[in-house]
Amino acid sequence: MHKTKRETKIVIFVMVFIAAVMPFILGTKNNYFINILISYCYYGIMAMSLNLLVGYTGQISLGHGAFMAIGGYTYAILTKTLGWHFLPAIFGSLVLTFLLGLLIGLASCKLHAIFLAMTTLGFSKVVSLIIINEGWLTGGANGFVGIKKLTVFGHRFMNYQLYFVALALTLMVALICYRLIYSKTGRAFQAIRTAPIAAASMGINVNGYKFLVCGISAAMAGLAGCIYALNINYLSADIFDKSSILLLTMTVVGGMGSLFGPIIGTLVIGTLPELLRPFAEYLDGIYGVVIILVVLFMPHGIYGGMKSLIDRKRKSDILSEVTP
Amino acid sequence: MSVLLQTSKVSMHFGGVRAVDLVDMSINSGAIHGLIGPNGAGKTTLFNIISGLYIPTTGNVIFEGKDITDKKPHEVTKLGIARTFQNILLFDQMSALENVMVGHHSRTDSTILGTIFHTPKMKKQEVLCKDYALSMLDFVGLSDFKNNNAGSLPYGQKRVLEIARALASKPKIIMLDEPCAGMNPSETDYLIEIIYKIRDFGITVLMVEHNMRVAMGVCDIITVLDHGKKIAEDVPDIIQNDQQVIEAYLGKENLE
């Protein structure tokens, strides 16, 4: 069994505590900050789902925003057009994104890195084209308007209450990721990323695991889409189209192949647009510069960079103790 | 002795190249079986066919009386055939212990849902898996390095770790692809010791080896391949004096 270090547990506890008290510090009525906090939640889920796929299993997806879009739109259509209750609607969009993820999984069994990346990019373009052209279902280029706020037993959720729901879901996804990674399954994922041939010869069903991880990752993205729909109450294809690269930036900058990496990446990259409001038109360029800098100076992301700094400090501490 | 693994008339053609050509080979259970031949003789190709990475153009691979020709690599491993690689293929970012735990993959039956819901069964399996991996690391003498990253280990230990990983799948036969390549004499002696230990453990060994001191000293029986064809199969003493084998390695004597 994997044992979590005591320091790590304390860090997690502090982070969750800060996340929980944040709305009360910033003010529960302050919709601007609450929306940013909720955006951390859905982007965090997306980054974790991408991390599972790209960071651990080595299957590159350039169109992960498409699954978020499918999740969001499915939720919107099921609740508004068909009048479903929100729970079955979320469940429905999870199932749909899971199945479509398996479809990409089929491709990932056949294709190598760069070709899979192209396929997923194509998939996301197809999804956004369908959304724009099938106006009767999705609202077309005008977007899907009037998604209902979360309402349970007649109680309409305030924005900060929705934040707690989103936070709980994010923590649940984090727990699932944690359990997947530190288990037989996670070891199989990592084995497939490093040496697929050796993995197959060790008794790992390589194609089976690739297939499954695509489904799981897509379903997580679908969940993020549901939260997005609940929060913004409005969906349009171009937001998701843009977000695929943004999400990859978060995952790479935070540190792929580690559990904390995507969370750090989300907090950093998710905050950038708010800090750089005056320079909004240069935002994509700034993302590019950030990616290049991180890849050059911290190949394992911010998390990896911090870790190696701490390790180096520990080593020098030990050395200074040994040498008088 | 009974036959454990058999290839019958196995051929592998890559375009016009006959990498393996109608090779018949049977490996008795409990033996240390050597596979030698000059470079490009088709030894590794034969390994890849047996382990399921290639499906042969013609012929069959029979393991314990069952035809496993079309089986996928992970199914072959589950049946009890493990292997190492000529160009070491370890999972570099994982620790030595985790590498060996991956080797045990096919012997644990916890599912992906089990890991998500953390069922007691899955927890128990994880503990058993770790214990088994530790015992395998102990078996090859790498216990002290269990938490080191596989990628950071020195070359010789990487080779040994690959063997431990293969052993963790509880094989009936282990195929070693040039286990002594690039090793110094003392490391080679240590490896020979491990190979004997594996045999005494009741696991049949099939090994490709270029180091003739090792091949002739360790193997009970040796198959010689040249240009994809089997040219000899016998005990080491006879192989050493076989005219065809000498020709394959040294070239034909030009009498004119």
Side-chain angles (χ1 to χ4, degrees), chain B residues 77-81 103-109 125 168-171:
Chain B
T77 309
K78 184 141 198 186
L79 286 174
I81 301 179
H104 200 59
H105 185 92
S106 57
R107 300 289 170 236
T108 52
D109 54 1
Q125 295 257 352
S169 68
K170 293 189 179 173

Side-chain angles (χ1 to χ4, degrees), chain B residues 234-255:
Chain B
D234 221 318
V235 293
D237 286 342
I238 297 175
I239 291 289
Q240 269 171 327
N241 300 314
D242 188 288
Q243 199 55 40
Q244 258 189 308
V245 176
I246 295 169
E247 273 172 20
Y249 270 93
L250 300 175
K252 220 176 215 167
E253 202 172 355
N254 196 342
L255 295 170

Side-chain angles (χ1 to χ4, degrees), chain A residues 116-294:
Chain A
L116 179 65
M118 288 291 121
T119 311
T120 49
L121 189 63
F123 176 75
S124 81
K125 292 290 166 207
V126 168
V127 168
S128 77
L129 277 177
I130 291 176
I131 288 172
I132 289 170
N133 285 310
E134 301 301 314
W136 59 274
L137 188 67
T138 61
N142 294 330
F144 198 109
V145 283
I147 301 160
K148 272 182 280 181
K149 289 264 177 205
L150 188 57
T151 314
V152 181
F153 300 124
H155 171 73
R156 195 155 158 274
F157 271 59
M158 299 281 291
N159 237 358
Y160 79 94
Q161 290 166 323
L162 176 66
Y163 166 68
F164 285 113
V165 175
L167 184 65
L169 289 173
T170 312
L171 291 176
M172 197 187 76
V173 170
L175 182 67
I176 289 176
C177 283
Y178 171 83
R179 286 182 168 179
L180 278 178
I181 294 309
Y182 292 108
S183 72
K184 175 186 169 187
T185 318
R187 288 193 298 273
F189 287 164
Q190 294 175 64
I192 290 168
R193 181 195 58 196
T194 340
I197 292 176
S201 298
M202 291 307 125
I204 294 168
N205 184 348
V206 174
N207 282 350
Y209 273 103
K210 279 186 187 175
F211 188 59
L212 255 179
V213 75
C214 286
I216 293 172
S217 171
M220 286 177 181
L223 181 66
C226 293
I227 298 173
Y228 182 89
L230 273 168
N231 179 32
I232 311 287
N233 307 110
Y234 166 77
L235 296 170
S236 86
D238 57 328
I239 299 171
F240 298 113
D241 217 12
K242 263 187 246 160
S243 65
S244 291
I245 299 297
L246 172 71
L247 294 165
L248 210 57
T249 316
M250 285 174 179
T251 320
V252 172
V253 167
M256 281 197 295
S258 61
L259 281 167
F260 275 117
I263 294 166
I264 295 171
T266 311
L267 294 178
V268 173
I269 301 296
T271 316
L272 268 187
E274 306 303 332
L275 294 178
L276 301 172
R277 269 284 143 101
F279 313 103
E281 59 262 51
Y282 303 113
L283 210 52
D284 283 339
I286 294 168
Y287 289 151
V289 172
V290 168
I291 283 202
I292 291 171
L293 288 179
V294 165

Side-chain angles (χ1 to χ4, degrees), chain B residues 117-191:
Chain B
F117 293 112
H118 247 191
T119 54
K121 183 185 159 205
M122 170 265 170
K123 284 186 198 168
K124 207 175 128 200
Q125 295 257 352
E126 278 288 280
V127 174
L128 288 178
C129 175
K130 191 172 176 183
D131 288 347
Y132 197 79
L134 282 173
S135 71
M136 284 301 119
L137 278 178
D138 194 43
F139 183 81
V140 298
L142 280 181
S143 298
D144 294 344
F145 302 96
K146 63 181 180 199
N147 292 324
N148 290 44
N149 264 10
S152 69
L153 290 176
Y155 178 83
Q157 290 180 351
K158 280 187 184 173
R159 284 233 173 263
V160 177
L161 179 59
E162 262 210 319
I163 296 177
R165 186 180 66 176
L167 284 174
S169 68
K170 293 189 179 173
K172 290 174 183 141
I173 178 168
I174 182 167
M175 305 198 291
L176 308 173
D177 202 345
E178 297 197 28
C180 301
M183 290 212 169
N184 66 32
S186 72
E187 285 173 327
T188 307
D189 287 340
Y190 182 61
L191 224 113

